[in-house]
Amino acid sequence: METRHTYFIIDWESAGYINPMHDLVETAVYWSVDSSGSINKGKFLAFIAGYEKRVGSLTANWEVVLDNGFAGKLDWLEYSLKRSLWIECTDIEEQLVGTSQVIWTLEALKQYEKMISDIKNWLNT
């Protein structure tokens, strides 16, 4: 007798109560951005279409969803600044990680700002 198994991958790193459409868009962006920081429209839309195929059509206020993307990145920037400035930090290694994350997050905010108007258009069509 053959036994079939269903496997799931659960990413607990940022688990919490959030808008599921925000989580969907953030994941689609993550899987669609190339090494230069540009978003690939085909990959993004394929990810969204795959999700829609599984759960049905999506309805959301995409402006709010994308604003949540900024808010999450700003929250991470605040946390990283606190580590970098020894406000929420226990050792030099953590302080250095905080500083590197400040730099990374500022770049991520700039990239996100460049791509959200395209993403909004893609989601509203």
Side-chain angles (χ1 to χ4, degrees):
M1 183 169 123
E2 182 181 323
T3 304
R4 300 188 90 180
H5 299 281
T6 302
Y7 298 94
F8 297 94
I9 296 173
I10 300 172
D11 179 3
W12 291 105
E13 179 185 8
S14 58
Y17 183 75
I18 64 169
N19 180 324
M21 293 300 103
H22 166 71
D23 197 29
L24 171 66
V25 169
E26 288 293 312
T27 305
V29 167
Y30 177 81
W31 287 104
S32 304
V33 171
D34 63 23
S35 60
S36 72
S38 299
I39 189 164
N40 180 299
K41 180 181 180 181
K43 287 182 180 180
F44 180 85
L45 292 176
F47 192 95
I48 298 296
Y51 187 85
E52 279 186 303
K53 184 177 179 182
R54 181 80 172 149
V55 302
S57 72
L58 304 177
T59 56
N61 181 333
W62 297 115
E63 185 88 27
V64 170
V65 169
L66 293 167
D67 284 349
N68 284 336
F70 271 120
K73 287 168 185 50
L74 290 171
D75 287 344
W76 185 253
L77 179 61
E78 177 187 22
Y79 173 66
S80 297
L81 281 166
K82 287 178 179 177
R83 290 191 300 168
S84 180
L85 298 171
W86 288 92
I87 296 169
E88 288 185 16
C89 181
T90 57
D91 58 42
I92 188 69
E93 187 176 312
E94 185 177 0
Q95 189 268 337
L96 293 172
V97 169
T99 301
S100 71
Q101 286 295 298
V102 167
I103 295 164
W104 179 88
T105 306
L106 290 171
E107 282 303 312
L109 281 162
K110 285 191 256 181
Q111 287 177 345
Y112 192 73
E113 193 274 328
K114 288 179 188 175
M115 66 179 74
I116 59 169
S117 62
D118 286 337
I119 293 171
K120 194 183 318 175
N121 288 333
W122 301 338
L123 291 168
N124 285 321
T125 56

